[in-house]
Amino acid sequence: MRAPTEAHRWLRAMYSTNRGTVGGFFLAGRSMVWWPIGASLFASNIGSGHFVGIAGTAAAGGIAIGGYEWNALIFVVILGWLFVPIYIKAGVVTMPEYLRKRFGGKRIQVYLSVLSLILYIFTKISADIFSGAVFIQLAIGLNLYLAIIILLAITALYTITGGLAAVIYTDTLQTFIMVVGSFILMGFAFSEVGGYDAFMEKYMKAIPSNVTYGNTTIDESCYLPRKDAFHIFRDPVSGDMPWPGLIFGLSILAMWYWCTDQVIVQRCLSGKNMSHVKAGCIMCGYLKLLPMFIIVMPGMISRILYTDVVACVVPEVCQKYCGTAVGCTNIAYPKMVVELMPNGLRGLMLSVMLASLMSSLTSIFNSASTLFTMDIYTKFRTRPSEKELMLAGRAFMLVLIGISIAWVPVVQSAQSGQLFDYIQSVTSYLGPPIAAVFLLAVFCKRVNEQGAFWGLMFGLLAGLSRMIAEFAYGTGNCVNPSNCPFIICGIHYLYFAIILFGVTAIVILAVSFMTKPIPDVHLYRLCWSLRNSKEERIDLDADEEQDKADEKDEESVNEESEEEPGCFKKVYNWFCGLDQQKAPKLSKEEEEALKKKLTDTTEVPLWRNVVNVNGIILLTVAVFCHAFFA
């Protein structure tokens, strides 16, 4: 049944929102209601990387990894209530564009776009592709690279042709399938292991039988389940997820991811009005309660059921089971899908995994091409037409896919046994400076361009030096520890994130206070203290905007004189979203009205109160969950 509905939604998206305009392709025309926003936020976040990575880390170390998911409950509220209203009032499409309006100049915008694209390739795209391929390999025995190419071909096709509305509708559908399938698997897993109490008891006894090779007996700490496996908060010094790191370090990463990341914010900016955006955030928050039960615990059960495979420690044994000498925890979830699910359901579950892989990838491809066309391409081509921008975005997607495939072998070997740790550590080295800049840009109007730029540069150098050192020395594992010096690799990556964030913020503030402040006339509705001002803002990039407006006028004159295209050309244009009926030429008043609609954050008092109460309930639930499992 899946294909027709998917095709139907995709066609609906191709027909209904005007994909031929940049606003239509990239922001779904600001017409989305709350439930697709909530489902799409969740689906963009939970990819097959989560199923492989989180379940794997849980199999190795217990439930602490679930704290990563629950941290988001707090940050979706911060996103909907504090950050999105500012972004909407600023009238921006991408996050670097916000920084350009806030600080002026081009260098921060270009820097951030390039860094975001690097992060997409190293963490999101390659890790998702790798984990999807792990599934296909286990299930069908296809060659890794053949599987990857088939997957990407399908994904790219519907992103390149459909735009954001297609992405949001397919996300909604796939989230539904994903959650239902995972619940079914959770049921099978718990019934197999004999209920929750039996699960807690058996997990502590899940010890592999083979713990020696040659004359070496492996140290017990490498294969015994952790004594604190059922606690989220762990020892600040010896814990694998120290509690100060989980509370503060993770919050910095969560702020970078949930409040400043293009993939996530783009979903919120497409909301019909502020109440719909907040309701979407709340829905996403409730959905984020689920991974602890549908991914983390099944990952731990996988260790109980397939102890010798999932918890293997002897390098030769691991190499035999999953092709990686470092450890086989990554196959915890896929192994269970293939072994536990009955035939029909197994097919459904695999299609869910691939659907989740595709939904993450389409979200990222769409957002990456937005970043590239809006922030980088327009620096080289000063006068691109709307049509040229659309083509550039689509061509860039193909380049992105090529680079990502090339990086897969690195992820395959660099994933030091645990994919999710690889993703989180890279994020800890590159994300905190961005979080610091956005936080200060929104809440401290004294911060200026020089401060933000030098803060970012300092943060980048510090983060890269740690990341390169770690990759050069290798992260090692329990059996063969890395010989990286303690001063470089000894600090837990969540602690490193806290230090990096703090130092970057100090640099930003110090440089800002030593240089001239930005006059208020440039900051109306761009930072928190001036969010409600009614005065006219003079954008720091106003000259550029004026040039663009003049070009648009010239362009429309040129377009009127073009002749009618032939049949073949019409079909090609429609398929790529280029043929849309020319958007009618708007008068000055209509343009002002449209701009007002796109930057409007007013809410109906009744619905505002409803979402506010729900937000408070969500925060209470978050605190309760942390306390219960602490």
Side-chain angles (χ1 to χ4, degrees):
M1 229 357 253
R2 189 166 148 265
T5 47
E6 190 121 347
H8 170 81
R9 298 192 178 226
W10 176 67
L11 285 168
R12 174 169 143 200
M14 283 186 77
Y15 269 111
S16 58
T17 57
N18 192 355
R19 295 172 303 125
T21 65
V22 172
F25 184 75
F26 293 134
L27 284 188
R30 266 211 83 178
S31 58
M32 284 289 157
V33 289
W34 62 274
W35 57 271
I37 295 175
S40 179
L41 281 172
F42 181 67
S44 308
N45 170 239
I46 294 270
S48 54
H50 269 69
F51 283 95
V52 169
I54 289 185
T57 302
I63 66 169
I65 195 71
Y68 278 73
E69 298 304 292
W70 286 351
N71 191 281
L73 272 70
I74 297 158
F75 278 86
V76 286
V77 175
I78 293 176
L79 167 72
W81 271 257
L82 301 182
F83 281 88
V84 173
I86 299 281
Y87 296 148
I88 289 179
K89 285 180 168 170
V92 294
V93 177
T94 71
M95 294 298 91
E97 188 187 349
Y98 167 74
L99 290 185
R100 193 187 75 209
K101 281 194 188 311
R102 170 69 178 79
F103 294 123
K106 289 180 181 176
R107 55 189 186 171
I108 293 182
Q109 186 186 8
V110 175
Y111 163 92
L112 199 69
S113 303
V114 173
L115 186 66
S116 303
L117 293 174
I118 291 172
L119 271 167
Y120 285 157
I121 293 169
F122 288 149
T123 59
K124 296 184 175 163
I125 304 178
S126 42
D128 270 353
I129 292 173
F130 169 70
S131 52
V134 169
F135 264 99
I136 298 177
Q137 239 185 336
L138 262 188
I140 321 170
L142 265 185
N143 173 305
L144 192 79
Y145 288 95
L146 181 66
I148 288 174
I149 287 164
I150 295 170
L151 262 176
L152 288 175
I154 301 169
T155 310
L157 182 76
Y158 78 79
T159 316
I160 289 178
T161 54
L164 185 66
V167 172
I168 289 183
Y169 283 123
T170 44
D171 273 0
T172 313
L173 179 76
Q174 286 161 1
T175 308
F176 179 70
I177 303 176
M178 230 152 66
V179 172
V180 172
S182 325
F183 265 114
I184 296 170
L185 183 58
M186 180 182 77
F188 276 110
F190 272 110
S191 74
E192 187 79 17
V193 88
Y196 188 75
D197 292 332
F199 152 63
M200 288 179 75
E201 185 191 329
K202 287 179 183 173
Y203 178 78
M204 300 313 286
K205 295 177 184 163
I207 300 165
S209 54
N210 190 348
V211 294
T212 55
Y213 64 104
N215 304 331
T216 324
T217 302
I218 294 166
D219 181 32
E220 281 193 345
S221 63
C222 296
Y223 58 83
L224 288 182
R226 295 184 62 90
K227 291 193 171 53
D228 53 10
F230 287 91
H231 301 283
I232 289 183
F233 294 137
R234 299 183 175 177
D235 189 278
V237 181
S238 63
D240 59 336
M241 306 264 169
W243 70 262
L246 205 66
I247 294 177
F248 304 110
L250 190 58
S251 298
I252 292 166
L253 301 189
M255 182 168 64
W256 166 76
Y257 182 80
W258 288 100
C259 305
T260 72
D261 187 56
Q262 180 68 22
V263 177
I264 297 295
V265 177
Q266 194 181 13
R267 303 286 168 277
C268 293
L269 294 180
S270 66
K272 213 172 186 162
N273 59 35
M274 228 23 252
S275 298
H276 277 287
V277 173
K278 289 178 180 174
C281 288
I282 289 169
M283 175 180 165
C284 174
Y286 283 122
L287 287 172
K288 288 290 281 180
L289 283 170
L290 301 176
M292 177 66 103
F293 307 101
I294 61 179
I295 304 177
V296 173
M297 288 176 183
M300 293 166 75
I301 292 175
S302 183
R303 175 176 178 141
I304 299 171
L305 301 177
Y306 316 108
T307 310
D308 283 341
V309 179
V310 174
C312 70
V313 277
V314 177
E316 290 78 51
V317 177
C318 296
Q319 186 72 39
K320 186 181 88 185
Y321 284 131
C322 62
T324 308
V326 198
C328 288
T329 49
N330 278 338
I331 66 171
Y333 202 89
K335 179 92 182 144
M336 226 158 48
V337 173
V338 175
E339 304 279 341
L340 272 192
M341 297 285 255
N343 272 342
L345 282 172
R346 185 185 313 151
L348 173 76
M349 203 53 200
L350 284 168
S351 66
V352 169
M353 287 301 128
L354 300 184
S356 87
L357 170 80
M358 287 185 191
S359 73
S360 309
L361 286 178
T362 41
S363 304
I364 294 163
F365 285 155
N366 187 279
S367 300
S369 67
T370 311
L371 276 180
F372 175 75
T373 45
M374 296 302 187
D375 296 332
I376 299 173
Y377 187 75
T378 47
K379 300 288 174 286
F380 300 110
R381 291 273 304 163
T382 39
R383 300 190 162 198
S385 63
E386 190 106 18
K387 183 171 177 176
E388 187 183 330
L389 280 180
M390 305 294 290
L391 282 173
R394 280 149 175 154
F396 178 70
M397 267 184 224
L398 299 175
V399 176
L400 206 60
I401 291 168
I403 299 172
S404 308
I405 294 180
W407 188 250
V408 168
V410 182
V411 178
Q412 215 176 342
S413 54
Q415 101 263 346
S416 58
Q418 292 174 25
L419 178 72
F420 203 68
D421 272 5
Y422 161 79
I423 299 172
Q424 292 304 332
S425 58
V426 173
T427 310
S428 307
Y429 308 147
L430 300 176
I434 304 178
V437 164
F438 273 95
L439 185 71
L440 292 171
V442 171
F443 294 105
C444 173
K445 68 174 193 175
R446 181 62 183 80
V447 169
N448 61 17
E449 200 267 351
Q450 291 89 331
F453 180 73
W454 291 111
L456 281 173
M457 291 319 284
F458 175 82
L460 178 70
L461 289 174
L464 277 181
S465 54
R466 160 90 192 239
M467 183 173 119
I468 291 165
E470 198 162 282
F471 276 130
Y473 281 106
T475 38
N477 65 336
C478 190
V479 184
N480 304 310
S482 162
N483 55 0
C484 178
F486 179 86
I487 187 76
I488 301 177
C489 305
I491 303 166
H492 192 282
Y493 60 77
L494 289 174
Y495 285 151
F496 183 81
I498 302 175
I499 298 168
L500 187 58
F501 179 83
V503 177
T504 305
I506 291 168
V507 172
I508 294 172
L509 291 168
V511 177
S512 295
F513 278 106
M514 287 191 273
T515 44
K516 275 205 327 244
I518 299 173
D520 280 5
V521 67
H522 300 306
L523 297 179
Y524 296 131
R525 296 178 300 289
L526 288 180
C527 53
W528 191 253
S529 56
L530 300 171
R531 67 189 184 283
N532 294 324
S533 63
K534 294 277 178 280
E535 290 153 76
E536 174 106 18
R537 176 177 76 224
I538 301 173
D539 276 332
L540 288 162
D541 59 353
D543 308 342
E544 279 184 51
E545 297 299 320
Q546 189 49 50
D547 291 347
K548 282 183 190 165
D550 297 343
E551 285 157 26
K552 281 274 167 26
D553 294 344
E554 269 178 48
E555 220 172 85
S556 53
V557 172
N558 297 343
E559 278 174 0
E560 278 162 21
S561 55
E562 282 178 17
E563 69 254 35
E564 184 73 11
C567 277
F568 181 72
K569 182 85 177 179
K570 269 186 185 163
V571 172
Y572 165 79
N573 280 349
W574 172 79
F575 187 67
C576 283
L578 299 172
D579 86 317
Q580 311 299 331
Q581 313 68 23
K582 295 276 180 289
K585 186 91 179 81
L586 300 176
S587 66
K588 272 279 182 279
E589 295 77 37
E590 287 170 322
E591 238 171 54
E592 282 305 311
L594 180 67
K595 190 171 168 190
K596 198 166 175 209
K597 181 199 160 202
L598 288 179
T599 55
D600 178 38
T601 57
T602 50
E603 298 178 73
V604 179
L606 168 70
W607 292 117
R608 185 179 63 220
N609 295 338
V610 169
V611 289
N612 286 350
V613 169
N614 267 296
I616 293 165
I617 295 171
L618 180 64
L619 291 175
T620 316
V621 170
V623 173
F624 171 77
C625 286
H626 278 89
F628 185 77
F629 282 99

